[in-house]
């Protein structure tokens, strides 16, 4: 282990002005200055006001901070199945100064640029020693840096959350908006204030660039192949799949005697399934009986539904789906996924029958995955039919030309349910039109301590609508789009769009 005197401890967070390294001989470093927060499927979209972001950085620098690294400065995309959480969305835009598509997010980018220009102007004084602190009001302070050569820089801060202040510093008056800091690189002229944004706002626009003509292929829901294996009782999903696929089939059989009362009354038995997460679909004798899913704050789920059964052997097939692996939390390596039970069938002559400990047959992944139907070569391995968008567990394909110009490209998937998508064999990632059921999407004031739940948008809307398709993946024409739809959706609503500011 590296000796402690060789280590430099650092700070990650929304604010780090409180932080000090474990030795005065070490620099004060902010290795993750959080510009926003991630989006979760089923959650509202977080935004961090640039006035507060600039205020947090200025607070850190005025107290002697020497290094700031933004997380994220350039937003990104969790392509393939790399998003974690679980339930973290495919977009990792993070409300960053440069967005997921590589475009400037204004005014955040410009305002932070101007902040660092002001800090750079103050550099001769900042690197010369520690500040002296002057109280210039009830909520106001001045942090003053001076060098032996005469350089002087000051930070004038107002920590009040809802009141501006007029202060006097070195015989001059300065107006400080609430929750703001002014930077004076020469101890006289305020060249920048964190709450005064001069960079113009430039909201991004998504412009439709065409639709698609679809063909479909239905995934088998009532058959097993030579990859299947049988065990007594229920098993944890990741211990079987090792994350080679999001999917694990749980299949068992239930024998129904001819004297069961429901066969005469038509009051079908009730199937109840308890799962550790993250989503599942139920099929009985090949017929779909719906889906259930958890959420970011509560991945566990319960399915309960009435299912039609006949005399004799009945096949129950449960498709369990993971939505990313956990990547934080206490002992997250031990968090479970999949159907761990109990699984019960009630409404029988005997009352309730527990199916949890009987024999279950398992199969990792989908048949279409094993055939590689998402790829250019593998798509020809199955017979495609006419479009069947609203059916669950169905593959769809379409061909399209790249939009003209150089603007970033995305897919509008808001009309679909849940699944995955590929372009020319490249995995865009998981999509899910999971609506944000909560959140705080009212007014947003930059002033006051920020948290990821403070300033949100999209309450009641799908958490992620657009999915980035890098231009480098596209050919001028004949591009193959393959979509695996788990729940069923409206294919006519899928659109190609371009992003501009």
């Amino acid at each position: 282990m590296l000796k402690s005197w060789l280590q430099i401890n650092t700070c990650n967070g929304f604010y780090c002005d409180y932080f000090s390294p474990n030795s005065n001989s070490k620099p004060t470093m902010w290795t993750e200055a959080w510009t926003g927060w991630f989006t979760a499927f089923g959650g509202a979209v977080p935004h961090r006001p640039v006035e507060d972001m600039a205020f947090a950085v200025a607070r850190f620098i005025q107290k002697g901070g020497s290094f700031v690294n933004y997380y994220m400065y350039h937003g990104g995309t969790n392509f393939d199945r790399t998003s974690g959480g679980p339930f973290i969305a495919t977009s990792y835009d993070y409300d960053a100064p440069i967005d997921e598509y590589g475009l400037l997010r204004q005014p955040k980018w410009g305002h932070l640029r101007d902040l660092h220009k002001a800090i750079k102007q103050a550099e001769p004084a900042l690197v010369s020693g520690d500040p002296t602190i002057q109280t210039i009001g009830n909520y106001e302070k001045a942090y003053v840096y001076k060098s032996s050569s005469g350089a002087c820089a000051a930070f004038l801060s107002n920590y009040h959350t809802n009141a501006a202040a007029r202060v006097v510093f070195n015989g001059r008056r300065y107006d400080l908006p609430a929750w703001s800091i002014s930077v004076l690189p020469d101890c006289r002229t305020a060249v920048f204030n964190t709450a005064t944004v001069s960079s113009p706002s430039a909201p991004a626009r998504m412009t439709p660039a065409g639709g698609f003509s679809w063909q479909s292929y239905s995934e088998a829901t009532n058959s097993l192949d030579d990859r299947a294996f049988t065990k007594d009782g229920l098993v944890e999903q990741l211990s079987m799949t090792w994350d080679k696929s999001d999917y694990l089939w749980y299949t068992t059989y239930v024998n129904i005697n001819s004297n069961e009362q429901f066969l005469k009354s038509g009051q079908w038995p009730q199937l109840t399934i308890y799962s550790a997460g993250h989503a599942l679909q139920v099929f009985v004798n090949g017929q779909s009986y719906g889906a259930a899913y958890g959420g970011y704050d509560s991945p566990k789920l319960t399915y309960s539904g009435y299912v039609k059964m006949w005399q004799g052997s009945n096949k129950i097939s449960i498709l369990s789906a993971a939505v990313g692996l956990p990547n934080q939390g206490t002992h997250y390596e031990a968090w479970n996924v999949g159907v761990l039970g109990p699984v019960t069938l009630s409404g029988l002559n005997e009352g309730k029958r527990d199916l949890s400990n009987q024999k279950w047959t398992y199969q990792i992944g989908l048949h279409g995955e094993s055939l590689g139907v998402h790829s250019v070569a593998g798509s020809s391995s199955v017979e495609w039919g006419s479009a069947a968008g609203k059916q669950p567990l169905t593959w769809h394909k379409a061909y399209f030309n790249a939009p003209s110009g150089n603007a970033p490209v995305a897919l509008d998937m808001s009309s679909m349910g849940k699944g995955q998508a590929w372009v020319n064999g490249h995995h865009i990632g998981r999509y899910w039109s999971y609506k944000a059921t909560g959140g705080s999407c009212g007014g947003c004031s930059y002033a006051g301590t920020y948290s990821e739940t403070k300033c949100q948008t999209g309450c009641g809307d799908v958490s992620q609508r657009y999915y980035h398709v890098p231009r480098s993946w596209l050919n001028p024409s004949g591009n193959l789009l393959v979509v695996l739809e788990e729940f069923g959706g409206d294919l006519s609503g899928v659109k190609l769009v371009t992003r501009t500011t």
Side-chain angles (χ1 to χ4, degrees), residues 134-176:
Q134 303 175 20
T135 298
I136 54 177
N138 292 332
Y139 294 88
E140 297 78 39
K141 291 183 178 180
Y143 290 76
V144 184
Y145 289 82
K146 292 183 179 180
S147 72
S148 58
S149 61
C152 182
F155 295 78
L156 308 184
S157 58
N158 176 10
Y159 284 86
H160 204 293
T161 58
N162 54 30
R166 175 167 287 184
V167 299
V168 176
F169 173 71
N170 283 354
R172 296 171 180 258
R173 290 188 175 91
Y174 298 89
D175 291 320
L176 301 177

Side-chain angles (χ1 to χ4, degrees), residues 32 81 163 167:
E32 289 187 10
R81 296 185 301 110
V167 299

Side-chain angles (χ1 to χ4, degrees), residues 177-195:
W179 199 254
S180 78
I181 295 174
S182 286
V183 183
L184 287 62
D186 58 0
C187 283
R188 294 189 302 274
T189 306
V191 300
F192 180 86
N193 178 268
T194 59

Side-chain angles (χ1 to χ4, degrees), residues 235-313:
V235 300
E236 197 277 333
Q237 181 169 335
L238 289 177
S239 67
M240 298 292 106
T241 66
W242 290 100
D243 197 39
K244 294 177 181 178
S245 170
D246 277 356
Y247 310 107
L248 179 66
W249 283 104
Y250 291 71
T251 300
T252 194
Y253 295 87
V254 174
N255 188 65
I256 298 298
N257 293 326
S258 59
N259 63 348
E260 284 290 347
Q261 187 62 35
F262 75 80
L263 294 173
K264 299 176 182 178
S265 68
Q267 182 63 46
W268 305 115
Q270 186 175 30
L271 179 65
T272 302
I273 304 166
Y274 292 90
S275 170
H278 306 134
L280 61 79
Q281 292 187 75
V282 176
F283 301 86
V284 177
N285 297 324
Q287 181 178 343
S288 173
Y289 283 90
Y293 45 85
Y296 178 76
D297 293 322
S298 181
K300 295 181 180 180
L301 62 99
T302 301
Y303 168 91
S304 185
Y306 293 95
V307 296
K308 184 177 181 179
M309 290 187 165
W310 51 54
Q311 177 183 340
S313 181

